């Protein structure tokens, strides 16, 4: 049955050995693809980090509204680009 959050615990034992291997390969390839994407797009790390910093500093009562406001700011692109430029020698 569905667990907390609506996700069911997976019973991998119902898969055949071939299906388990395909699933394992799929997971590995997905991780590799995700890592390549994140390395090619450093703005994602800056964007999420800046958002999390604001959340923890401001501790909004309505996180959904706060997130909607944050990600729809008209100057968000400029803010993130300036932080990337400012961090280019750091890390």
């Amino acid at each position: 049955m569905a667990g907390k959050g609506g996700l069911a615990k997976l019973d991998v034992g119902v898969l055949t050995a071939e299906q388990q291997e395909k699933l394992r390969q799929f997971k590995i390839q997905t991780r590799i693809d995700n890592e390549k994407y994140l390395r090619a797009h450093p703005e994602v790390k800056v964007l999420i980090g800046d958002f999390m910093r604001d959340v923890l500093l401001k501790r909004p009562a309505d996180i959904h509204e706060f997130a909607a406001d944050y990600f729809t700011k008209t100057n968000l692109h400029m803010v993130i680009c300036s932080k990337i430029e400012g961090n280019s020698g750091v890390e």
Side-chain angles (χ1 to χ4, degrees):
M1 232 357 113
K4 189 173 185 177
L7 296 177
K9 177 141 174 84
L10 298 177
D11 183 3
V12 186
V14 299
L15 299 177
T16 66
E18 181 183 351
Q19 289 171 325
Q20 288 179 21
E21 180 58 24
K22 283 183 180 179
L23 178 60
R24 188 181 77 76
Q25 290 297 326
F26 174 77
K27 288 179 179 181
I28 291 169
Q29 189 58 51
T30 299
R31 286 183 182 170
I32 291 169
D33 292 344
N34 290 345
E35 183 66 26
K36 285 179 181 177
Y37 181 84
L38 291 173
R39 285 177 189 239
H41 298 279
E43 67 274 16
V44 173
K45 183 177 181 179
V46 174
L47 180 66
I48 299 302
D50 191 62
F51 172 71
M52 290 300 298
R53 182 186 58 80
D54 275 4
V55 166
L56 295 173
L57 287 173
K58 298 175 182 173
R59 299 187 185 274
D62 186 344
I63 188 67
H64 295 104
E65 182 177 342
F66 182 83
D69 290 343
Y70 178 88
F71 288 107
T72 57
K73 288 190 287 190
T74 56
N75 68 335
L76 184 59
H77 183 264
M78 281 190 339
V79 169
I80 298 306
C81 286
S82 70
K83 290 185 181 201
I84 290 172
E85 290 171 9
N87 292 337
S88 60
V90 179
E91 202 176 354

